[in-house]
Structure formats: structure tokens, C-alpha cells
Amino acid sequence: MQESYRDILKLLLPTIIVENFELTSYKTTAEVMHLYLQEINQIPKEFETQKLESKGFFDEITVQDFPIRGHKVFLHIKRRRWYSYTLEKVVYRNWDLVADGTRITKEFAIFLKELNRF
């Protein structure tokens, strides 16, 4: 993602999304904006001591976000999954830990909790 896109995304999306996801593409129409995001390839802090390998992504989920300048906004999110050779199972980032100690709105905290259901 070009730095200019990142600067714009910082104004439109919560910091936690900008820091943990990259914009892979977008589509806009007269009334709707679709942002396609995938989790960056960075080992989650809760698994730093383990031997991990990125094993692709979970199925994409779509979440409606707050409107921007009269456009409905849909975030198409792909969360990364990791194989832990230490635990011998698939693991993924704990979004409750990421949100801990950050300043986010209640609505966004609920959004993050919904991510953990998929």
C-alpha cells in the first residue's frame, strides 16, 4: 500500500485497523464504498515465543462501517491464520489483547469482538 493511501486511511478508519491490516483494493460507486483489507503478515504478540507459519486467511467477512460523505461503507476483511508448530494447531490474533490499552469507541470494540466469532 502506498504511504499516501495509508495517510488517508488513518483519517477514515480506526488506528487499530490501519496498523493491523493493509488495503488490498477498493471499489466505489455513486452510493457505496467497498474497502478490501487483509491482516498484515506480522506474528501476533501473544505467540511471539512460538514457531509459527502463516497459513493463509480465514474466509472473508463483510462489515458495514460508518458512512463517509454520503457513501455506505463496507469493509471486506480477511484475517490471517497461523500454524503453531509449538502447539500443533492453527492459531490467530486475539483481538481482545490488541484492543487492550488502546482508545477505541464502544462501537469499534463490539466490532472487534464480532471478528472473533468468525
Side-chain angles (χ1 to χ4, degrees):
M1 171 175 56
Q2 294 178 345
E3 254 339 280
S4 60
Y5 285 135
R6 188 174 179 86
D7 290 341
I8 291 170
L9 287 178
K10 286 179 185 177
L11 299 172
L12 302 176
L13 298 173
T15 304
I16 198 166
I17 288 286
V18 177
E19 290 176 352
N20 292 285
F21 291 84
E22 64 181 339
L23 180 68
T24 57
S25 66
Y26 67 93
K27 288 187 224 174
T28 58
T29 67
E31 298 176 0
V32 181
M33 178 185 298
H34 295 273
L35 300 175
Y36 295 86
L37 303 154
Q38 70 180 26
E39 190 173 344
I40 60 174
N41 191 2
Q42 181 178 3
I43 293 175
K45 288 184 180 185
E46 60 267 33
F47 300 111
E48 286 178 331
T49 60
Q50 298 180 25
K51 183 177 180 193
L52 295 182
E53 182 179 352
S54 177
K55 289 293 186 180
F57 298 92
F58 289 104
D59 290 340
E60 178 182 285
I61 63 166
T62 302
V63 178
Q64 187 168 2
D65 198 15
F66 295 104
I68 299 174
R69 296 200 174 260
H71 285 75
K72 292 180 184 177
V73 176
F74 292 93
L75 306 178
H76 301 270
I77 301 169
K78 291 173 73 176
R79 293 176 41 222
R80 191 170 293 277
R81 68 175 149 214
W82 303 85
Y83 183 76
S84 169
Y85 290 98
T86 307
L87 299 174
E88 298 182 347
K89 68 177 186 175
V90 171
V91 297
Y92 49 90
R93 187 176 313 275
N94 181 339
W95 288 103
D96 290 330
L97 292 178
V98 172
D100 188 34
T102 62
R103 292 183 177 176
I104 59 176
T105 64
K106 286 184 180 181
E107 294 90 347
F108 194 65
I110 292 167
F111 164 75
L112 290 174
K113 287 181 182 179
E114 287 296 317
L115 279 179
N116 281 332
R117 292 184 183 191
F118 295 97

